[in-house]
Structure formats: structure tokens, C-alpha cells
Amino acid sequence: MTRMLANRYEVGDLIGAGGMADVFQGRDTRLSRPVAIKILRSDLARDPAFLARFRREAQAAAGLNHPAIVSVYDTGEEGTDQGVLPYIVMEQVNGKTIREVIRSGERLPITRAISVVRGILEALEYSHRNGIVHRDIKPANVMITNGGDVKVMDFGIARALDDASATVTHAWTVVGTANYLSPEQARGEAADSRSDIYSVGCLLYELITGRPPFLGDTPVAIAYQHVSAEFIPVSQLNPDLPNGIDNIISGALSKDPLARYQNAREMLDDINRLDRGEEVQKKIKNPKRRNFVIAGVVAAIVMLASSGYLISRIPTPVSLITLSDVSGLTESQAKAELTGFTIVVERAPDPRVPIDRVASQTPTAGTKVEPGSQVQIILSDGPGKTSIPTTLIGTTIDQAKIILDGSGLVLAKTNPVESSEAPGTIVGVIPEPGSTVAAGSGVVLNIASGKVFVPDVIGASKIQATTILIQAGFIPNVIETQDADQPSGVVLAQAPASEESAKIGSSVTITVNTYKAEPGVTPTPNPSAS
């Protein structure tokens, strides 16, 4: 039986899962159109503060109507045994997220990167004008459709997570996107529209260089750099970039919100000027200018006092190195290839890469970096092995996902099947429970749809047939007939037929032969029966 929300939205296959919610394919039966349905995790839904903010912000986001924003069609709540689960019905978008593009190793041409950022800024200009701050702009929240259009996702939800009363889980979700956090967000201060501008600057930086502006071993280390460190100008990492791009990124990534682009339109205007080959308006501001002035005054006093000359030593520009590609190499080979760099080695399962070989590196190959800088390499543990849990049968879909996640497996598909179990109950697992599979494998779950097989009662007596049907959950509907050629007192026909499925509580019609031969009279055979 198909799962329905609000008696309107059919919930289909799971197409995505994240830290906050699961996303399902869906269909709006009233308007006959495909939709995407995001259902919030039950642990978040149990937080009253989050629920209140989510309802308010989701409704506000539903009022946004812009071609560069994924449309929110409807919001609601579903009552379950675990409590109320809020959901959002959204426009279904076919394409790739920027995160998927970056992880594939694809480097967008500068003109395309500028076009993508233009789409994001147009969406933000509209949302800011309507009082909605995104607060979680990152590659995973921006899609490029199959037609090449830009779509920004998750308005409202990100803001709900910024509630001051957020729990540790919520705070972890925010820290999890540390590569794109503004300095004020990293300090735990209030975020406004200029925080979105900073995040767009981080995303543009990564699109054109292949790496975020700041790298670190932990989210906290990255957040600290957002507050205090200076980023490497993109022109040093990629000298072929057009003039003015450093100014634009500097204007977006200023530590001081007052020195940043003050709104999306300002940055958008400079993006358009750059695209036309015109001079951008934003100028690079040196945050250490005041210190330089003081140092100059002190130097002048020293010169006058000593009647000598002060020769300033200008730092020699750092010569950047193009990072080698070490994917597929062993750890020792990779370290030899990256001599002079600080190597951080991590391990992770990867079914695509042989065990003990480099699966990925950060920054990516071809990036220009400073000598001695940090390079992270991920060594493959191979797919690894795990067992299909034996406790899945009889659980709900939410419980099953938790069990699968704990076993290093993913839910690949759900199949509604006919069963006598309660609707929504897991009644079958593929592969077989207890079997050994590669970690990360997909598991197919068969879920009771709410229908059951009708038992076969043909040939049974009336009493036997009605008893069997009632025990199976059906309501017997008895029709009597007289047929001298068939045994008396037994069921001759039934509808639905045996092995067909019917909803529990529905009626099953049985035809019972009530013919009784008169004493001493032998029934005459029916010629047509021979």
C-alpha cells in the first residue's frame, strides 16, 4: 500500500538521506505532478523549539517564488508512533549539486563558475528582499539542473537551526559546514544577509580553485581560520583568472561585515561588470593598513634620530607549487611524490579504490599551493565486510534505517508487498539477513502494503469457510445456489479468488451449494458437464 501524506501526496522511493532529513520521490495526486518530499528526522521533530521555528520558517520559505530557488509547494506534519514528523513538499529538480560536481573532479570554466554564482546571488537578492536569510549556503545546497539552470535549496530549514536554543545535535549540523561559515557565525554571533554573501564568496573560491579558502583537520580549526587567518588570493592559485576576481572575492570574504558587500545586488553588479570585461567597483582593503602607518611613523622617527637610512626589507613573494595527483598510489609512494608538504593521512572505506591506495586528496591535484602546506590523503580500506542485520524483520522503516546505518549499509529501495503484517512493517530483506556483503552495499526492504492474500475456501463447508475468512481478517458475504451436479453444503466459488490480494476488513463473497436431493431421487447428470 502506497504511503500517503495529507491524503494527497504519494511517498515513493528514498532518493536522499542527510543529517536532518530523508528525501523521497513523491507525487501530488491532486495536481498530477512529481514532487520531492523531505521528511524531518524524528529526533529533531521531538524538539519543541525546533518544531516551532520550523513551522514558521518553512511557511515563510513557501512564499518564495523565484526561478533560481527550489519551490516549496506545501508543508505539513504526519502523526506516527514516534510522534509528529514535519515534512516539506518541494519542486522535484533533476540535476547535480555543486558538491557532486566538485567531488567528481570537474573544474568549471571561469565563465560557468561566474554564471553559477550569478544565479545564487539572484536567488539571495530576492530572498533577502523578502526577509529570508539562508544561513547555510554551501555546495550541497546548490543544484545545477540538467538544463543548466541554478537552483538554491533549503531556505528556512537552515534558519530554523540557527535558533539560540538549538541542541548539541543542531549545533553539530552547523559546525559540519564549517568550510562556508562566516566569521560571525563561527563566533556564535547573529547572522544576517552579509553572512550569506561570505558563504557565496567561499563557494566561488572553491569553484575556481578546486579548494575552499581555508583547510584544517577539524571543523573547529577551519572555523578559527575564518575568524583570524588570511586566505591565499585566487590569482596566486590560478594566474589565468580575469582581472578583478581578487577584488570580488576579497569583498565577499572580508572578516568585517561592514567591509563586505552589503547586499547581494552589490556583489551581483560587480560579477556582471567582470563578465563584461569592465572594472569592478570593490577595492581590496588591507586589514593591516593601520599597523603599517604606525610602523612607518616609528621608522621615520628612528631615521631622523640616527641621521641614517632605513632600508625596508620587502618579503619575497611565495612561489606556489602545482600539487601532484597521487590518487591510486600507496601511502609511501604518495608521500614521496608530496615531499616538502605536511601530509595528513586518513582512512575510509571506498568500494571503488583498492585497499591501501589513495582514494582522494585535499587540495585536489593541479591546485597551486604553498610549499610546506598541508595535504590530506584518504587511503582506501576497500569496501570492507559487514553482515545483513537479522533484526530488520518486524521493524518500521525508520527503525530499519537506524539499524542499517549502524551496520554500515544503506537503504537502496523499498518494495511495498502484500502481507498479513501491519502496514509499514518490514517483512522481507534482500540480501538475506545474516549474509555477508561489502560495507556500503544497498539493501532492499519489502514493506507490508496493507493488503493480504485471500485464502482458498473452495470445497470447504460454509462454517469452515466463514471461520477461515474471519480469522484472515475478511468479512464473509454468503450467496446460496443450487447445483445438483456439485457436492451439497460446500463453497463452489469465491470472489476475490484465492491468492488475490484484498484490503483487510473488506468482504469476500462465497457461493455455497444448498441443493438437497429428494429421498429416493437420483440426480440426473447434466450433459453439458461431461
Side-chain angles (χ1 to χ4, degrees):
M1 182 177 180
T2 303
R3 180 183 180 185
M4 296 288 292
L5 297 178
N7 293 318
R8 175 175 178 178
Y9 303 109
E10 293 180 351
V11 181
D13 292 337
L14 181 74
I15 57 177
M20 282 192 308
D22 296 324
V23 182
F24 298 84
Q25 284 183 333
R27 181 169 183 80
D28 184 342
T29 59
R30 187 177 302 170
L31 299 179
S32 297
R33 65 180 176 185
V35 295
I37 304 174
K38 176 173 282 190
I39 303 179
L40 268 293
R41 276 184 7 212
S42 56
D43 59 330
L44 292 182
R46 286 194 290 267
D47 186 333
F50 179 85
L51 268 178
R53 287 296 301 271
F54 175 79
R55 291 168 180 149
R56 185 165 61 250
E57 298 294 347
Q59 290 172 0
L64 296 177
N65 184 16
H66 190 275
I69 296 175
V70 173
S71 299
V72 175
Y73 295 145
D74 195 8
T75 64
E77 296 173 356
E78 179 189 26
T80 69
D81 294 339
Q82 290 77 35
V84 174
L85 291 181
Y87 63 85
I88 296 178
V89 182
M90 305 176 296
E91 169 189 8
Q92 181 175 302
V93 180
N94 298 316
K96 292 182 178 180
T97 65
I98 296 294
R99 180 174 65 178
E100 291 172 326
V101 172
I102 292 173
R103 287 186 173 180
S104 71
E106 180 182 354
R107 186 74 61 85
L108 297 181
I110 181 63
T111 53
R112 182 58 178 142
I114 291 296
S115 174
V116 169
V117 170
R118 180 186 294 112
I120 299 171
L121 289 170
E122 288 173 349
L124 290 177
E125 182 191 24
Y126 174 82
S127 70
H128 293 168
R129 193 165 62 243
N130 284 272
I132 301 294
V133 180
H134 193 289
R135 307 189 187 203
D136 196 22
I137 292 292
K138 58 183 179 181
N141 281 341
V142 181
M143 287 196 73
I144 300 178
T145 70
N146 292 337
D149 297 323
V150 175
K151 292 280 189 177
V152 180
M153 303 183 291
D154 280 354
F155 278 87
I157 298 178
R159 185 167 183 171
L161 286 173
D162 270 347
D163 195 333
S165 62
T167 65
V168 172
T169 302
H170 303 163
W172 180 90
T173 303
V174 173
V175 172
T177 55
N179 281 326
Y180 314 97
L181 280 182
S182 67
E184 55 271 23
Q185 286 174 289
R187 291 191 297 264
E189 299 171 359
D192 59 21
S193 59
R194 294 169 298 183
S195 305
D196 283 349
I197 299 299
Y198 186 93
S199 299
V200 173
C202 292
L203 193 149
L204 175 58
Y205 190 106
E206 186 168 7
L207 277 177
I208 61 182
T209 67
R211 50 158 285 179
F214 301 110
L215 300 170
D217 293 336
T218 64
V220 173
I222 297 172
Y224 178 81
Q225 292 180 72
H226 279 297
V227 174
S228 61
E230 296 299 322
F231 59 87
I232 300 174
V234 293
S235 59
Q236 292 186 30
L237 299 175
N238 186 351
D240 297 328
L241 295 173
N243 293 330
I245 191 68
D246 276 332
N247 299 57
I248 290 175
I249 290 183
S250 176
L253 295 185
S254 173
K255 308 293 186 189
D256 182 2
L258 293 175
R260 218 173 284 161
Y261 286 110
Q262 294 302 288
N263 52 62
R265 171 47 59 183
E266 283 188 9
M267 186 173 179
L268 189 57
D269 287 343
D270 262 355
I271 287 286
N272 290 331
R273 292 187 186 99
L274 181 74
D275 210 23
R276 296 191 298 264
E278 301 174 2
E279 183 180 358
V280 300
Q281 297 296 308
K282 197 69 174 178
K283 304 302 179 184
I284 298 178
K285 295 185 178 181
N286 192 335
K288 300 179 181 178
R289 182 180 178 186
R290 182 171 178 268
N291 293 338
F292 287 157
V293 171
I294 295 173
V297 171
V298 172
I301 294 173
V302 172
M303 278 197 302
L304 291 174
S306 61
S307 298
Y309 294 95
L310 177 65
I311 302 176
S312 299
R313 177 174 296 177
I314 301 175
T316 303
V318 176
S319 179
L320 299 178
I321 301 174
T322 301
L323 197 61
S324 300
D325 185 359
V326 296
S327 57
L329 302 183
T330 64
E331 180 179 351
S332 59
Q333 290 171 335
K335 287 182 175 179
E337 187 69 26
L338 298 174
T339 300
F341 292 97
T342 302
I343 310 299
V344 176
V345 180
E346 301 286 348
R347 303 191 67 95
D350 194 317
R352 302 166 302 172
V353 180
I355 190 169
D356 293 330
R357 298 279 178 167
V358 176
S360 63
Q361 64 185 88
T362 304
T364 56
T367 302
K368 293 185 179 296
V369 295
E370 294 182 1
S373 58
Q374 177 178 291
V375 178
Q376 181 189 58
I377 60 174
I378 306 294
L379 294 179
S380 172
D381 279 334
K385 296 293 183 181
T386 188
S387 298
I388 303 295
T390 58
T391 56
L392 291 168
I393 303 295
T395 64
T396 65
I397 183 67
D398 290 329
Q399 294 167 338
K401 284 188 294 185
I402 295 173
I403 295 172
L404 289 174
D405 183 67
S407 299
L409 298 166
V410 296
L411 175 57
K413 187 179 180 183
T414 58
N415 289 328
V417 297
E418 294 153 356
S419 169
S420 59
E421 297 293 332
T425 303
I426 307 300
V427 296
V429 181
I430 305 172
E432 190 72 15
S435 58
T436 301
V437 296
S441 297
V443 176
V444 177
L445 299 179
N446 294 335
I447 302 178
S449 64
K451 293 183 177 181
V452 296
F453 293 115
V454 178
D456 184 4
V457 294
I458 293 179
S461 68
K462 176 181 178 181
I463 294 177
Q464 290 174 327
T466 54
T467 300
I468 292 171
L469 290 173
I470 291 173
Q471 290 177 343
F474 296 105
I475 300 174
N477 178 31
V478 180
I479 296 178
E480 296 181 348
T481 189
Q482 295 191 14
D483 188 339
D485 297 324
Q486 301 294 334
S488 178
V490 299
V491 176
L492 303 181
Q494 68 178 81
S498 63
E499 298 308 310
E500 289 186 8
S501 60
K503 193 173 183 179
I504 294 175
S506 61
S507 63
V508 175
T509 300
I510 56 176
T511 302
V512 178
N513 186 14
T514 60
Y515 175 82
K516 290 184 179 181
E518 295 180 7
V521 177
T522 302
T524 302
N526 187 343
S528 63
S530 60

